[in-house]
Amino acid sequence: MKKVEVFGTGCKKCITTQEMIRSEAQQLSIEIELIKVDDPLEIVSRGIMSTPAVMVDGKLMHKGGLPKRQEISQWLKEN
Amino acid sequence: MFEFFTQLADFLAYNLLQLDPQTHLAEAVHFFIEDTTKIFFLLTTLMLLVGFLRSWVSPEKVRQWLDGKPKLLAYFLAVTLGAITPFCSCSSIPLFIAFLSSGIPLGVTMAFLITSPMVNEVAAILFGEAIGWTFTLAYLATGMVTGMVGGALIDLLKVERWVEPFVFQATVSAIDQEELKVSMQRRFYYAWEETSDILKRVWLYVLIGVGLGAGIHGYVPQEWFIAHAGADNLFAVPLAVILAVPLYSNVTGVVPVADVLIAKGLPVGTTLAFIMSTVAISLPELVILRKVLRPQMLVLFVLYLAIAFVLVGYGFNWLF
């Protein structure tokens, strides 16, 4: 199961990002572990300054804005 | 260069709506059509271009560029980068922590944070188009100098104790992660997303701003501002700064208002003080900053900005 982390301090874009990933995973019927990281200290210690950012299995895929649906499904599908 | 919009307004107001050009109503309607179409055209094209170019400048890179620079150069770099890098307000906390815990001085970090919301290249170009390029220069200089002096002052006062202590506990070992590979297509998408995002946020402000402007344009006589808020009225500048605090707007939203205020005889300095106070001192931003700054620091921050804007107001009233 893929571990997907969404980094953000709680702005609207971060919440939207999280929702997009959840619904995309549901649509593709891929089970994921979706974690929201909102502690600023942890965000920084993971090397992230622009939020929202997305890590899949610990690898940074995206930062500083909303991802595209197409991108999300790519992350979820690739092995 | 923009006659098209005047012609469009001519056509819509005088031909289509059959308004008599001699009336206040016609003048107001004409002003509204010309300004809204022009502003939305400029905003869209400029933001797309700027958003695209900006996809090469990230807060991560700014941090690397600032790292280890001599102080004076660092202040200058910080405000310059602050002027061209906007960041979502929700990024300002991680950014603040990352800057400080990687050894960038508090003053340099604050210089960046002060200037970033104040100076906006889209607003600079709109000011130039609507009011004149001298005003744009005054605007840019004000934003950058306020940031640099503020940063230097904060370092001079050594107020690190007014930063929440947890900020310094961050570990930044992973901070120099390799940059993400970003495709051209992604950069275009980023620009498009940012443009539509800003348009969605400011369109109402622009319409209200221009509408208000149109109302004043057609109806309030020029003598009103000169009589009540002219350069010889010493209270006008502080009043403009205070009145603007509860008003919170993206800087692009205040451009049309500023345009009209100046056209109606409000002095340049007073207008500039009002604009700066509107965009730089805002309650939502203070609430966010409270997470990392002690209340004393917030008070210092607001007081400094308010005093700076009053001085800017007097200064430019005297100069122009």
Side-chain angles (χ1 to χ4, degrees):
Chain A
M1 191 165 63
K2 280 202 161 89
K3 185 169 116 182
V4 181
E5 291 165 291
V6 177
F7 297 83
T9 47
C11 63
K12 208 171 146 232
K13 274 192 192 170
C14 313
I15 297 165
T16 312
T17 305
Q18 199 181 2
E19 279 315 307
M20 283 168 77
I21 295 174
R22 189 197 311 279
S23 83
E24 196 65 27
Q26 231 162 35
Q27 222 167 46
L28 298 167
S29 352
I30 299 176
E31 255 195 85
I32 56 164
E33 187 190 354
L34 186 59
I35 301 166
K36 173 82 196 296
V37 182
D38 48 18
D39 173 19
L41 276 186
E42 182 170 356
I43 295 177
V44 172
S45 70
R46 299 287 290 276
I48 292 164
M49 264 191 256
S50 337
T51 56
V54 181
M55 274 190 182
V56 178
D57 288 333
K59 188 167 174 266
L60 183 65
M61 306 305 269
H62 172 85
K63 67 182 169 72
L66 288 177
K68 283 195 273 189
R69 286 213 163 262
Q70 202 189 335
E71 291 174 319
I72 297 175
S73 76
Q74 237 169 38
W75 306 331
L76 296 182
K77 277 191 243 165
E78 76 191 13
N79 291 302
Chain B
M1 179 177 168
F2 295 109
E3 294 90 5
F4 169 76
F5 298 100
T6 318
Q7 287 161 4
L8 180 73
D10 283 347
F11 172 75
L12 288 176
Y14 306 143
N15 298 10
L16 205 68
L17 294 173
Q18 300 270 321
L19 295 169
D20 177 1
Q22 303 299 320
T23 59
H24 283 322
L25 179 69
E27 208 180 314
V29 169
H30 187 275
F31 178 88
F32 184 79
I33 296 171
E34 183 180 348
D35 257 40
T36 44
T37 49
K38 189 162 69 182
I39 285 174
F40 280 116
F41 170 76
L42 275 173
L43 274 182
T44 312
T45 46
L46 291 175
M47 282 190 304
L48 280 176
L49 183 71
V50 167
F52 181 63
L53 295 177
R54 187 182 285 149
S55 64
W56 276 274
V57 186
S58 64
E60 286 83 350
K61 282 192 192 143
V62 171
R63 198 202 61 78
Q64 284 172 10
W65 289 332
L66 288 179
D67 203 6
K69 294 278 183 308
K71 266 237 173 109
L72 280 179
L73 180 63
Y75 293 132
F76 181 73
L77 261 181
V79 297
T80 311
L81 293 168
I84 57 172
T85 328
F87 51 91
C88 170
S89 64
C90 66
S91 285
S92 58
I93 296 304
L95 187 147
F96 183 84
I97 297 174
F99 275 33
L100 278 192
S101 51
S102 64
I104 293 183
L106 179 61
V108 176
T109 307
M110 288 306 289
F112 179 81
L113 281 179
I114 290 172
T115 302
S116 189
M118 276 163 69
V119 178
N120 170 306
E121 62 295 313
V122 174
I125 295 168
L126 286 179
F127 279 138
E129 181 26 51
I131 301 170
W133 296 99
T134 331
F135 189 81
T136 296
L137 273 181
Y139 162 71
L140 290 178
T142 302
M144 293 177 68
V145 173
T146 310
M148 286 197 278
V149 174
L153 192 74
I154 283 166
D155 278 337
L156 214 67
L157 291 174
K158 299 202 190 316
V159 286
E160 274 79 5
R161 63 184 182 282
W162 288 348
V163 174
E164 293 291 348
F166 81 89
V167 168
F168 297 100
Q169 287 158 16
T171 43
V172 281
S173 52
I175 215 152
D176 285 316
Q177 262 197 355
E178 69 178 293
E179 278 286 309
L180 278 175
K181 287 245 183 313
V182 185
S183 67
M184 255 337 167
Q185 193 200 5
R186 182 80 189 114
R187 292 181 195 278
F188 275 116
Y189 176 73
Y190 167 84
W192 171 247
E193 180 198 33
E194 194 180 13
T195 304
S196 64
D197 194 54
I198 295 178
L199 279 179
K200 265 187 239 156
R201 243 183 12 231
V202 304
W203 71 271
L204 194 62
Y205 287 111
V206 172
L207 284 189
I208 293 174
V210 179
L212 223 78
I216 299 176
H217 199 82
Y219 297 100
V220 179
Q222 183 142 357
E223 296 72 36
W224 192 88
F225 276 120
I226 294 174
H228 292 88
D232 51 349
N233 183 348
L234 278 183
F235 294 107
V237 173
L239 199 67
V241 170
I242 293 167
L243 279 179
V245 173
L247 294 177
Y248 172 51
S249 163
N250 187 292
V251 68
T252 41
V254 298
V255 172
V257 183
D259 177 18
V260 170
L261 290 178
I262 286 182
K264 284 292 163 186
L266 191 69
V268 171
T270 316
T271 310
L272 197 60
F274 180 76
I275 293 171
M276 286 308 195
S277 183
T278 308
V279 294
I281 309 179
S282 77
L283 206 58
E285 164 129 6
L286 291 179
V287 170
I288 292 175
L289 285 178
R290 173 65 191 93
K291 286 187 193 162
V292 285
L293 298 177
R294 293 251 164 101
Q296 297 95 314
M297 185 72 168
L298 291 182
V299 172
L300 177 72
F301 181 70
V302 172
L303 269 183
Y304 166 70
L305 287 179
I307 292 170
F309 298 150
V310 170
L311 291 179
V312 162
Y314 286 140
F316 280 106
N317 280 350
W318 178 74
L319 271 177
F320 285 98

